[in-house]
Amino acid sequence: MKQYLQKFPQALLAWFEENKRDMPWRKRITTPYPVWISEIMLQQTQVDTVIPYFNRFIESFPTVQSLADAPQTELLKMWEGLGYYSRARNLQKGAQFIANDCKGIFPPDFESWQKVSGVGKYTAAAICSIAYGHFTPVVDGNVLRVWARLNCMKDSIKVESTKTKVYNELIPYIESSQDASWFNQAMMEMGALVCRPKSPLCTSCALNSFCQSYLKNCVDQFPVQEKKAPVPHKHAMLWVIECKGKYALIQREERLWHGLFTYPFEIVKDTPTLSTAKTEFKKRYGPATQWEEFSVVKHQFTHFSLDIHPFKCKVNQTQLPTYTYEEICALPLPVPIRKVLQKIFN
Ligand code: SF4
């Protein structure tokens, strides 16, 4: 344990006691189930966005068995708008594993939780500390930032070896706190509310007397930033196909939006014109009439940005499954596809 941090766990917990936000999963920790659901939802997503999703999810799927048995379309509909849909599919796979292979008994420790689909080290540490009180430090983006600033840490927080190093460094402090659940939650909350990525609230921070970067006046240098590679930009040519008052949709089997429903589309290199859309459509689906072009829908993914170019047309017959407007509204759709729907029908 570092000399300058000896009293930091107590200061952190005292601050958390006074300042913690009200979160629904903090009230329900009788089993690991709500902790697991909330931790998966909180990956890449803000607390305020997660709260209504969490409440609806727990109400619809109150037990691991009900999640295991849920129709996937219903599950994805519940997840619509939260993004990163593989999280929902992995949650269900995990629930099936616990309900069937483990006979409904939750994994008992850090190692065994990592065998559950979609649960990595960070999520396993969060579940085990919050639900069981095990001294397993959470190392997420918030914790890494707080720790890098407290210690003027020069390692890049993007690399796996730094996460392992920070995990090991945190163990004596989480043990000294004597409350694993609150220590981890307090570290995450400190990163989210005070030690924010931009404009950290250092002068009023409960940890400023321990914080090396604050005391040395170099907070802006931590965590060490690496140059980001430019995000590639792509285009999608999308066809809204009307056939006898209904519209063709496909259920995705590819990795992107797997299980969700979309209008047929193709990823292309350059901005598609109406003429290209007609030609490519004819090659795939045959003749069509009454073409219309709509304005672009933009969407940002983690690894690329996408401009969706919607083209609408009419056909007399199609091999694709078709749906009424009302039926489409009830299906799980990716957010940009829902935006296309609104553009076409408003
Ligand atoms: Fe973060 Fe500033 Fe607090 Fe240090 S003093 S932990 S940099 S908010």
Side-chain angles (χ1 to χ4, degrees):
M1 200 184 266
K2 289 166 185 153
Q3 189 77 24
Y4 58 85
L5 286 179
Q6 272 189 353
K7 293 190 178 150
F8 127 82
Q10 287 67 36
L12 176 71
L13 262 57
W15 168 82
F16 186 59
E17 174 79 55
E18 291 292 313
N19 295 282
K20 64 182 180 300
R21 286 174 290 179
D22 196 17
M23 295 181 194
W25 45 90
R26 286 191 176 144
K27 294 178 187 147
R28 297 169 172 256
I29 310 175
T30 47
T31 81
Y33 182 63
V35 183
W36 173 36
I37 304 298
S38 64
E39 287 301 327
I40 297 292
M41 286 186 168
L42 287 165
Q43 291 168 2
Q44 323 268 359
T45 314
Q46 301 283 324
V47 167
D48 292 345
T49 309
V50 165
I51 289 174
Y53 279 92
F54 173 83
N55 287 334
R56 284 197 296 272
F57 197 95
I58 289 287
E59 208 177 304
S60 301
F61 311 120
T63 61
V64 78
Q65 188 68 55
S66 59
L67 175 56
D69 296 341
Q72 197 186 66
T73 305
E74 194 185 320
L75 176 68
L76 292 174
K77 182 73 191 159
M78 182 78 53
W79 206 269
E80 190 182 294
L82 208 48
Y84 303 100
Y85 293 89
S86 58
R87 293 182 298 172
R89 292 191 297 273
N90 280 331
L91 260 182
Q92 187 166 49
K93 263 194 224 162
Q96 287 161 351
F97 171 70
I98 294 168
N100 304 329
D101 300 36
C102 308
K103 303 193 169 32
I105 296 167
F106 288 104
D109 54 33
F110 181 60
E111 300 302 331
S112 48
W113 262 104
Q114 289 176 66
K115 293 183 184 138
V116 175
S117 202
V119 176
K121 273 189 194 163
Y122 155 63
T123 310
I127 296 169
C128 291
S129 61
I130 298 171
Y132 305 147
H134 293 178
F135 293 108
T136 46
V138 164
V139 184
D140 73 347
N142 281 328
V143 174
L144 283 164
R145 184 171 59 257
V146 175
W147 197 245
R149 288 173 175 167
L150 280 174
N151 295 289
C152 290
M153 188 176 77
K154 295 208 167 69
D155 312 78
S156 162
I157 59 169
K158 298 282 177 214
V159 300
E160 210 46 48
S161 58
T162 304
K163 294 176 191 171
T164 308
K165 177 185 151 181
V166 171
Y167 180 90
N168 290 326
E169 286 181 354
L170 280 167
I171 290 175
Y173 301 96
I174 193 171
E175 286 175 351
S176 140
S177 77
Q178 297 179 15
D179 191 329
S181 167
W182 278 42
F183 179 88
N184 277 340
Q185 293 188 68
M187 281 293 276
M188 293 189 274
E189 198 82 321
M190 176 60 68
L193 299 182
V194 181
C195 197
R196 307 177 304 200
K198 288 185 186 143
S199 317
L201 306 172
C202 296
T203 48
S204 58
C205 174
L207 304 182
N208 61 15
S209 61
F210 310 99
C211 180
Q212 297 306 293
S213 67
Y214 177 69
L215 297 171
K216 293 174 186 165
N217 200 20
C218 56
V219 171
D220 57 347
Q221 294 174 27
F222 299 95
V224 172
Q225 298 292 343
E226 292 195 343
K227 274 190 189 155
K228 281 186 186 163
V231 178
H233 185 67
K234 298 179 183 180
H235 296 270
M237 182 163 47
L238 175 145
W239 297 286
V240 178
I241 309 166
E242 185 180 345
C243 182
K244 301 184 177 104
K246 292 182 163 189
Y247 299 87
L249 288 188
I250 45 169
Q251 189 170 19
R252 298 273 300 168
E253 289 177 5
E254 297 80 353
R255 194 157 171 263
L256 175 69
W257 297 331
H258 182 97
L260 280 88
F261 290 78
T262 69
Y263 299 107
F265 69 88
E266 286 292 330
I267 302 283
V268 289
K269 245 168 116 192
D270 302 313
T271 306
T273 62
L274 179 58
S275 160
T276 332
K278 284 180 180 178
T279 311
E280 293 302 319
F281 182 89
K282 199 171 179 188
K283 278 188 213 163
R284 290 167 177 76
Y285 306 110
T289 57
Q290 300 185 38
W291 282 89
E292 278 179 79
E293 184 174 357
F294 289 83
S295 57
V296 171
V297 169
K298 291 180 177 293
H299 192 68
Q300 188 69 47
F301 293 93
T302 323
H303 301 299
F304 67 99
S305 61
L306 184 67
D307 279 1
I308 300 176
H309 303 261
F311 299 93
K312 185 170 178 288
C313 63
K314 277 194 179 178
V315 297
N316 290 328
Q317 54 184 22
T318 175
Q319 302 292 320
L320 299 170
T322 55
Y323 302 85
T324 62
Y325 171 75
E326 288 73 22
E327 285 167 341
I328 295 174
C329 291
L331 291 170
L333 309 176
V335 167
I337 299 298
R338 191 158 291 282
K339 284 187 191 160
V340 172
L341 177 77
Q342 283 158 358
K343 203 177 271 284
I344 305 284
F345 288 97
N346 282 346

